[in-house]
């Protein structure tokens, strides 16, 4: 598989054209902190460099509350794809720098009304296996230490005051969303019983779905990640005891066993999954899906019908998840995009995506603070006129 596809949908840090351009966000730049003590623990990026995170401290009513966001950015499943990542910030802290804190990480109350004054942390993603790998590839000097990175960063944050948190939220987008699923109960276990702890999964509901050629490309990718990076030992035994470990990397097979309250934020027409799983280049070539996979307006009626089948499967999984625990929450809209908590134009603001006039930030806040139960599933495309659709 082309290694560029493995990178997936990167968190769009550099695309702040929304609401006035990059100049409007200069106060959201946050410095990188390296966890240098992690090296002695073997908690390192793919190339052996220390992991890192970015933090803005809370104040006022949020001074003792913590939001920890796990960065996304695809996966690597073999020597070449993992070696490529070592030349980027997705595999080496040598390439990391300060970043923007927008949307759910913003320090602006008008953009992030419920979490703006919390301690907000972005944990950088440099292991390529959703913070879950364990191993070493001697031939190329690749370190698969995602689980150790998770532990080392959490230990440092606990020492910075997170151990006494009154409220905490673990979030993640895309591959970071998968990590949020995998580590949700681990995160809860860090805190005192009286601490309110919940988890948010954005664009992390990757489905084991048959593609347009009848193959299961995402299953093959995940099998490579789990096998090559030694992920199986860090997957829940309640899942691996009854099915192949690779299938236990799919959130759909883990959700109903998670004890900590969780919120699923996803689009029913996830563009990363359409482009890389449902209609990957390997299955499409120059066939009828060549243009549809990149631009939903180019899809014919039969292709839309196929995508509606994918939506039905996603909403079925989401319904089961919601029904499994009264404290869970749900926002599944009908937009063609991927990742909605990390962009200011979709998280909160003017003309943001909504379901029954309720936007994403409000929905997450209502769920977290128990202001109301949130179970929102959009009607099928093309009914939603509030979407911020993505076209490649």
């Amino acid at each position: 598989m082309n290694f560029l596809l493995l990178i997936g949908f990167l968190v769009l840090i550099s695309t702040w054209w929304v609401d006035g351009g990059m100049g409007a966000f200069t106060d959201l730049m946050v410095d990188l902190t390296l966890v240098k003590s992690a090296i002695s623990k073997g908690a390192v990026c793919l190339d052996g460099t220390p992991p890192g995170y970015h933090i803005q401290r809370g104040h006022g009513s949020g001074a003792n509350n913590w939001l920890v966001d796990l960065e996304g950015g695809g996966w690597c499943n073999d020597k070449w794809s993992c070696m490529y990542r070592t030349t980027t910030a997705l595999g080496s802290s040598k390439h990391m720098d300060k970043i923007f804190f927008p949307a759910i990480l913003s320090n602006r109350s008008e953009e992030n009304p419920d979490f703006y004054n919390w301690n907000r942390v972005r944990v950088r993603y440099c292991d390529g296996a959703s913070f879950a790998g364990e191993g070493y590839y001697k031939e190329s000097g690749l370190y698969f230490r995602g689980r150790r990175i998770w532990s080392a960063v959490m230990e440092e944050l606990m020492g910075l005051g997170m151990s006494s948190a009154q409220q905490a939220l673990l979030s993640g987008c895309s591959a970071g969303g998968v990590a949020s699923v995998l580590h949700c109960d681990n995160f809860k276990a860090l805190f005192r019983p009286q601490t309110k702890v919940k988890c948010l999964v954005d664009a992390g509901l990757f489905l084991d779905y048959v593609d347009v050629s009848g193959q299961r490309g995402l299953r093959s990718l995940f099998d490579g990640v789990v096998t090559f990076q030694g992920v199986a030992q860090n997957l829940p035994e309640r899942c691996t005891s009854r099915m192949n470990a690779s299938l236990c990397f799919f959130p759909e097979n883990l959700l109903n066993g998670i004890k900590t309250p969780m919120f699923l934020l996803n689009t029913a027409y996830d563009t990363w999954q359409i482009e890389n799983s449902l209609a990957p280049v390997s299955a499409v070539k120059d066939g009828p899906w060549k243009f549809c996979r990149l631009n939903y307006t180019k899809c014919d009626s039969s292709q839309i019908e196929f995508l509606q089948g994918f939506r039905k499967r996603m909403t079925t999984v989401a319904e089961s998840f919601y029904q499994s625990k009264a404290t869970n929450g749900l926002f599944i809209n009908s937009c063609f995009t991927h990742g909605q908590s990390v962009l200011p134009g979709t998280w909160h603001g003017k003309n943001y995506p909504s379901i029954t006039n309720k936007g994403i930030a409000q929905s997450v806040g209502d769920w977290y603070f128990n202001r109301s139960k949130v179970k929102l599933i959009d009607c099928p495309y093309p009914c939603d006129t509030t979407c911020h659709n993505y076209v490649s």
Side-chain angles (χ1 to χ4, degrees):
M1 181 175 290
N2 190 316
F3 63 76
L4 292 177
L5 296 183
L6 306 184
I7 295 178
F9 183 90
L10 302 181
V11 178
L12 301 180
I13 298 171
S14 62
T15 55
W16 307 134
W17 60 84
V18 184
D19 297 335
M22 187 180 296
F25 295 90
T26 54
D27 62 321
L28 303 183
M29 294 291 287
V30 183
D31 288 329
L32 172 70
T33 299
L34 293 178
V35 188
K36 296 180 180 179
S37 63
I39 294 180
S40 63
K41 304 169 185 175
V44 293
C45 299
L46 287 168
D47 70 338
T49 54
Y53 62 90
H54 307 258
I55 183 171
Q56 275 192 334
R57 300 309 298 255
H59 58 88
S61 61
N64 207 26
N65 300 328
W66 289 74
L67 188 156
V68 178
D69 183 74
L70 304 177
E71 185 181 32
W75 307 271
C76 63
N77 68 340
D78 57 26
K79 170 185 173 181
W80 299 112
S81 57
C82 289
M83 285 295 293
Y84 175 77
R85 292 172 78 96
T86 64
T87 67
T88 74
L90 290 171
S92 172
S93 59
K94 292 179 181 178
H95 303 285
M96 296 178 187
D97 203 344
K98 60 178 64 178
I99 62 172
F100 289 109
F101 263 26
I104 194 173
L105 289 171
S106 174
N107 62 0
R108 298 181 174 188
S109 59
E110 64 271 25
E111 182 181 350
N112 190 24
D114 284 312
F115 308 108
Y116 75 96
N117 65 346
W118 285 31
N119 296 282
R120 287 155 291 107
V121 181
R122 161 64 60 82
V123 182
R124 299 302 295 269
Y125 177 42
C126 65
D127 67 277
S130 292
F131 297 90
E134 177 59 50
Y136 177 67
Y137 190 64
K138 186 176 181 179
E139 178 184 330
S140 300
L142 291 167
Y143 294 87
F144 306 133
R145 301 292 171 78
R147 179 57 182 261
R148 298 195 201 188
I149 291 173
W150 159 267
S151 298
V153 174
M154 292 305 112
E155 181 180 344
E156 178 144 317
L157 295 179
M158 294 297 277
L160 292 177
M162 194 169 75
S163 60
S164 60
Q166 294 177 339
Q167 301 182 107
L169 176 63
L170 178 69
S171 67
C173 176
S174 194
V178 174
S180 186
V181 172
L182 292 173
H183 290 293
C184 184
D185 285 341
N186 298 330
F187 188 66
K188 168 66 175 176
L190 294 173
F191 299 93
R192 302 167 298 172
Q194 62 266 36
T195 303
K196 179 194 287 188
V197 182
K198 298 186 178 183
C199 304
L200 167 65
V201 179
D202 177 16
L205 188 51
F206 294 94
L207 300 180
D208 181 24
Y209 202 78
V210 176
D211 69 25
V212 296
S213 68
Q215 304 299 311
R216 292 182 184 268
L218 192 54
R219 182 187 293 189
S220 177
L221 169 59
F222 281 1
D223 181 63
V225 174
V226 170
T227 302
F228 190 59
Q229 293 216 39
V231 173
Q233 61 189 293
N234 292 323
L235 296 173
E237 186 178 356
R238 58 181 165 76
C239 182
T240 57
S241 63
R242 59 187 176 86
M243 64 177 65
N244 183 280
S246 299
L247 296 178
C248 295
F249 201 67
F250 282 94
E252 63 178 303
N253 295 323
L254 300 174
L255 289 173
N256 291 356
I258 294 172
K259 299 177 182 179
T260 308
M262 179 175 286
F263 191 98
L264 280 187
L265 166 61
N266 227 98
T267 167
Y269 308 98
D270 186 287
T271 51
W272 190 96
Q273 293 188 69
I274 291 173
E275 295 179 21
N276 298 288
S277 177
L278 302 184
V281 172
S282 59
V284 172
K285 296 182 172 46
D286 290 323
W289 280 87
K290 180 178 180 180
F291 299 106
C292 169
R293 64 183 292 271
L294 301 176
N295 186 341
Y296 67 98
T297 66
K298 304 295 183 182
C299 299
D300 61 31
S301 59
S302 65
Q303 291 166 332
I304 292 295
E305 184 177 356
F306 178 85
L307 296 179
Q308 300 293 24
F310 178 74
R311 172 193 175 274
K312 183 176 181 180
R313 169 70 178 282
M314 180 170 288
T315 56
T316 297
V317 172
E319 284 272 10
S320 175
F321 157 81
Y322 181 82
Q323 298 297 335
S324 69
K325 188 159 53 276
T327 53
N328 287 340
L330 201 60
F331 189 104
I332 307 292
N333 58 356
S334 293
C335 307
F336 285 80
T337 189
H338 179 77
Q340 300 179 94
S341 68
V342 294
L343 295 177
T346 54
W347 172 248
H348 184 72
K350 296 180 180 179
N351 303 315
Y352 50 77
S354 61
I355 303 176
T356 62
N357 296 318
K358 181 178 282 193
I360 294 170
Q362 180 186 347
S363 298
V364 173
D366 285 352
W367 161 78
Y368 185 89
F369 294 103
N370 302 317
R371 295 191 291 247
S372 65
K373 291 186 177 181
V374 181
K375 179 194 174 186
L376 297 172
I377 299 180
D378 215 351
C379 49
Y381 170 82
C383 73
D384 192 337
T385 59
T386 70
C387 286
H388 290 204
N389 293 314
Y390 171 78
V391 177
S392 294

